[in-house]
Amino acid sequence: MPQRPEPVLLANVGKPDSWTLRVYEQTGGYQALRKAVKEMTPVQVIDVVKASGLRGRGGAGFPTGLKWTFLPKDHPGPIYMCINADESEPGTFNNRILMEDDPHQVIEGIILSCYATRATTAYLYLRYEYPLCWDRLQAAIDECYAKNYLGKNILGSDFSLDIFLHRGAAAYICGEETGLIESLEGKRAWPRIKPPFPAVEGAFRKPTVVNNIETVACVKHIVGRGADWFKSMGVPPDPTNPRDAGSYGPKLYCLSGHVNRPGCYEAPLGITCRELIDEFGGGVWKGRKGKAAIPGGISMGLLAEQEFDTPLDFNALGKVGCMGLGTAAVVVMDESTSMVDFLYNSCRFFQHESCGQCTPCREGTAWSLRMLERIRHGNGRLRDLDLLLEIGDTIGIIPGTTICGLADGAAWPIKNAIRKFREEFENYIKNTNPTGYMVTEPVPALVQLAAH
Amino acid sequence: MSATVEKILTEEMVAEITALFPRYPTKQAVVLPALHVVNDQLRHVPLEAIVEIAQLLDLAPSQVQDTLSFYGMFKQDRPHGKVRAWVCRSISCMLRGGEEVLEHMCHQAGVRPGETTNDGNLTIEFAECLGACEYAPCMLEGKNLHRNLTKETAENFVKETMS
């Protein structure tokens, strides 16, 4: 096993009372904040984050420092920071670990990010399903106000900041940045058409930055340890891909499904899926072989077993037909798993979570679910597979038919599962519906009408 | 004929909601927190409460209703059970038997997901990922996360809750 660097983001996780200010300060907590407000200007903080090559950990992988520079210069304010803690991507739980076990690390990252962007109010939008995070974050925020890490004139500087927790209500789409803003404003979480981008007109029509929990936790360490430390691990840009900005720094990988040791592990970007499963996860459970894995949350697509040596970074997954790294949540499926069941589960999720605003997404996710239901119940037809692929190729931002990326997320598992496991789908259909005809079933409503 | 209509929101609830106003630049931003305040107390948000929240926030009732109806967690017609259990059916939980656990619990309690038992004690819901995939299959009940559920542990939970 190659030597892996000591965990940094997870350094405190598992220690007794790791969520208290006392423990956090003993391990050097809030030193990065002191350094920033006393020795650095906001522009210098942005510069060090830009130099580190940090890319957002929420799924899209956009360069964080660059995102911050999109804020209008010399805006009279207020500027808002929205912290996206509504991770609801199936398989993903890294933010929960950070908030539960090390909330001060997150808060220090938020304060530094707000200092850099001159934001004066931060809203932490927390998903409803994380009640323990709520309690620990609120307690940590209270401790920070008492120590003047938050509030007016932080540590004697002219920088003031409030952080407010805001509770979501069980909707996946609130993790989309403009959906989150709409929800924060008290409306249904319908993503907005861009432009204007949130940096120009976001929450309450003011310039707004939306950052993920793990991203701001990284900011804390970049300010404390420097850009060179962050850039010393990871993968440099791919010269064959002009749009790749490299994948630097440590990353939290969530591992779940059919592995012996599910959990959240820290490793440099670029670790392969197989290394993650074997070294950290203790291999596939019950002595079985792996069959497939979701590389970064359900919306990113699917890796077949022979693709397990693909590095989990922002660039490499695109080469094997996946959408990207996403949240780096790896869900492993063993050889006994039915891909029909997997795809049914995936289609059901996206159909349930589509906000319904864009017709291709609303209808496409529902249609694909109906087909998967039909196939599963032994009524599938071979042409359903081509129809599913057609839906997968025609909904989403990438062909330009929807406002947000949810439909892309719904499409990728369909495209990957059918293209990489087509034979299994065909065999399932042939075996369960040998005639290839649809068995017509009476429509309940019509039957009722006929009875009257 | 005028009758005194009894208010749904208690003074405490109103105080809790209005205390949130300084946090946001608009009153509309308090809609979700206000719905949570009411839901935490009444276990549902009846239409009368919508009207009163709207008055507090200077909104039309339809605006509050519009927001409420989008989110999966607020019930309106009647309160959810004293215990509300969300069983995860998402991919990691499914791979480790989450769907079977959910089905087993519903069968045992005699309800479908989203429904409440006749004694009003237990509502079983499905969740589209609880974000606790390392403990799959899992269930969130109030603030308690039940980890690595089996049919037996789930069965015991239903028995204890319904008795």
Side-chain angles (χ1 to χ4, degrees):
Chain A
M1 187 193 293
Q3 193 66 37
R4 302 265 177 230
E6 284 286 302
V8 174
L9 295 166
L10 297 181
N12 286 341
V13 171
K15 287 184 183 169
D17 297 334
S18 63
W19 50 89
T20 59
L21 184 60
R22 179 179 55 81
V23 171
Y24 186 65
E25 284 185 328
Q26 279 168 4
T27 53
Y30 293 106
Q31 291 306 322
L33 175 65
R34 280 179 203 282
K35 179 178 160 189
V37 296
K38 292 199 191 305
E39 299 168 20
M40 299 169 82
T41 64
V43 173
Q44 285 173 319
V45 178
I46 294 184
D47 286 343
V48 71
V49 171
K50 270 167 97 173
S52 72
L54 170 66
R55 293 171 68 172
R57 275 21 182 175
F62 195 82
T64 304
L66 185 63
K67 193 181 202 177
W68 291 353
T69 60
F70 293 159
L71 289 164
K73 302 277 178 292
D74 305 320
H75 191 275
I79 291 170
Y80 293 111
M81 171 74 68
C82 291
I83 302 298
N84 188 347
D86 192 87
E87 63 173 6
S88 313
E89 177 82 8
T92 311
F93 50 90
N94 49 338
N95 291 341
R96 192 194 90 238
I97 306 273
L98 289 175
M99 290 186 284
E100 272 179 9
D101 279 16
D102 204 353
H104 280 288
Q105 180 185 201
V106 172
I107 290 169
E108 187 174 5
I110 296 173
I111 303 172
L112 286 165
S113 305
C114 290
Y115 180 69
T117 55
R118 301 172 199 270
T120 49
T121 307
Y123 295 104
L124 194 153
Y125 191 106
L126 180 67
R127 65 183 301 208
Y128 162 78
E129 290 88 342
Y130 286 174
L132 183 60
C133 293
W134 178 277
D135 290 348
R136 293 217 172 135
L137 281 166
Q138 190 58 60
I141 288 171
D142 293 345
E143 285 180 316
C144 285
Y145 274 107
K147 290 282 289 248
N148 193 221
Y149 295 141
L150 282 174
K152 297 261 176 264
N153 301 104
I154 292 169
L155 299 176
S157 69
D158 57 1
F159 167 56
S160 302
L161 174 69
D162 288 310
I163 300 181
F164 299 119
L165 298 185
H166 190 93
R167 187 157 51 154
Y172 173 69
I173 196 64
C174 295
E176 200 276 341
E177 64 173 354
T178 56
L180 183 149
I181 290 170
E182 286 283 307
S183 179
L184 174 70
E185 290 181 358
K187 295 174 267 178
R188 22 182 67 212
W190 276 0
R192 293 177 183 170
I193 294 171
K194 294 184 270 194
F197 288 89
V200 177
E201 193 179 300
F204 311 108
R205 304 283 165 205
K206 299 288 183 198
T208 302
V209 177
V210 184
N211 278 151
N212 167 265
I213 289 283
E214 191 186 330
T215 312
V216 293
C218 288
V219 168
K220 176 236 142 96
H221 294 290
I222 291 166
V223 173
R225 293 163 182 255
D228 290 340
W229 162 78
F230 196 78
K231 244 183 165 163
S232 70
M233 54 188 112
V235 185
D238 176 1
T240 63
N241 180 0
R243 292 196 304 178
D244 180 39
S247 308
Y248 296 109
K251 179 79 193 79
L252 298 184
Y253 291 93
C254 303
L255 188 59
S256 64
H258 294 156
V259 287
N260 284 316
R261 288 197 301 270
C264 179
Y265 302 104
E266 182 174 337
L269 276 164
I271 185 176
T272 69
C273 184
R274 197 181 301 280
E275 284 170 327
L276 186 71
I277 295 168
D278 291 344
E279 287 176 26
F280 291 98
V284 180
W285 75 344
K286 299 183 178 175
R288 291 181 188 159
K289 277 171 58 184
K291 177 176 184 179
I294 296 161
I298 199 171
S299 65
M300 290 296 131
L302 202 61
L303 290 173
E305 202 276 339
Q306 56 271 28
E307 295 165 335
F308 276 11
D309 292 311
T310 309
L312 298 169
D313 64 44
F314 289 109
N315 183 50
L317 287 158
K319 294 180 179 171
V320 290
C322 295
M323 185 146 78
L325 179 67
T327 55
V330 175
V331 183
V332 182
M333 288 172 255
D334 72 20
E335 56 193 339
S336 72
T337 313
S338 160
M339 284 300 117
V340 178
D341 287 350
F342 156 74
L343 194 56
Y344 169 73
N345 187 287
S346 162
C347 289
R348 187 181 62 189
F349 175 82
F350 287 108
Q351 189 272 333
H352 189 264
E353 296 301 322
S354 170
C355 81
Q357 195 180 190
C358 310
T359 311
C361 175
R362 182 183 65 240
E363 300 297 322
T365 53
W367 192 8
S368 57
L369 176 62
R370 281 202 302 278
M371 273 192 273
L372 258 302
E373 267 171 354
R374 196 160 74 207
I375 292 171
R376 259 182 119 215
H377 286 103
N379 243 336
R381 295 162 295 173
L382 287 176
R383 68 186 173 98
D384 287 344
L385 299 178
D386 290 324
L387 203 51
L388 277 164
L389 285 175
E390 198 177 327
I391 292 177
D393 285 334
T394 49
I395 60 172
I397 288 186
I398 292 173
T401 58
T402 58
I403 294 171
C404 88
L406 187 139
D408 294 298
W412 240 268
I414 296 176
K415 294 191 232 187
N416 277 186
I418 295 181
R419 292 206 172 112
K420 294 181 182 179
F421 296 92
R422 180 151 191 145
E423 205 181 332
E424 182 178 337
F425 281 91
E426 286 183 355
N427 286 339
Y428 187 95
I429 292 172
K430 283 177 193 163
N431 290 332
T432 55
N433 186 19
T435 62
Y437 291 106
M438 245 175 87
V439 180
T440 45
E441 291 170 33
V443 182
L446 291 179
V447 173
Q448 278 173 11
L449 274 178
H452 283 87
Chain B
M1 193 175 80
S2 69
T4 324
V5 181
E6 206 170 308
K7 294 276 186 192
I8 292 268
L9 303 192
T10 61
E11 278 177 29
E12 289 77 24
M13 289 185 212
V14 172
E16 203 176 330
I17 292 167
T18 48
L20 295 167
F21 288 175
R23 293 183 166 207
Y24 305 94
T26 68
K27 282 189 182 173
Q28 187 169 13
V30 184
V31 169
L32 263 190
L35 292 172
H36 277 302
V37 166
V38 177
N39 193 61
D40 287 349
Q41 297 289 324
L42 304 180
R43 292 189 266 128
H44 73 316
V45 187
L47 282 170
E48 298 86 334
I50 295 288
V51 176
E52 290 177 37
I53 291 173
Q55 279 168 353
L56 271 178
L57 305 184
D58 298 331
L59 297 169
S62 59
Q63 288 174 290
V64 181
Q65 177 67 19
D66 182 55
T67 300
L68 174 140
S69 63
F70 183 80
Y71 298 93
M73 73 162 299
F74 303 110
K75 293 192 184 297
Q76 283 203 300
D77 49 350
R78 64 190 184 116
H80 62 72
K82 286 178 194 143
V83 171
R84 193 178 194 186
W86 300 80
V87 184
C88 185
R89 66 175 192 179
S90 188
I91 185 72
S92 301
C93 286
M94 175 205 107
L95 290 171
R96 286 178 167 246
E99 289 186 328
E100 287 81 3
V101 167
L102 174 63
E103 195 180 311
H104 190 67
M105 286 174 69
C106 285
H107 181 74
Q108 197 190 349
V111 294
R112 283 176 296 190
E115 292 179 351
T116 306
T117 52
N118 285 336
D119 59 9
N121 277 341
L122 175 64
T123 301
I124 299 176
E125 308 262 5
F126 64 78
E128 293 288 6
C129 196
L130 291 173
C133 317
E134 78 270 50
Y135 304 123
C138 56
M139 169 176 81
L140 184 72
E141 169 248 332
K143 286 191 168 187
N144 305 317
L145 183 70
H146 295 249
R147 305 165 173 189
N148 302 115
L149 283 178
T150 61
K151 278 188 182 173
E152 290 71 38
T153 53
E155 198 170 307
N156 288 337
F157 168 78
V158 174
K159 252 186 226 161
E160 282 167 24
T161 314
M162 288 183 69
S163 62

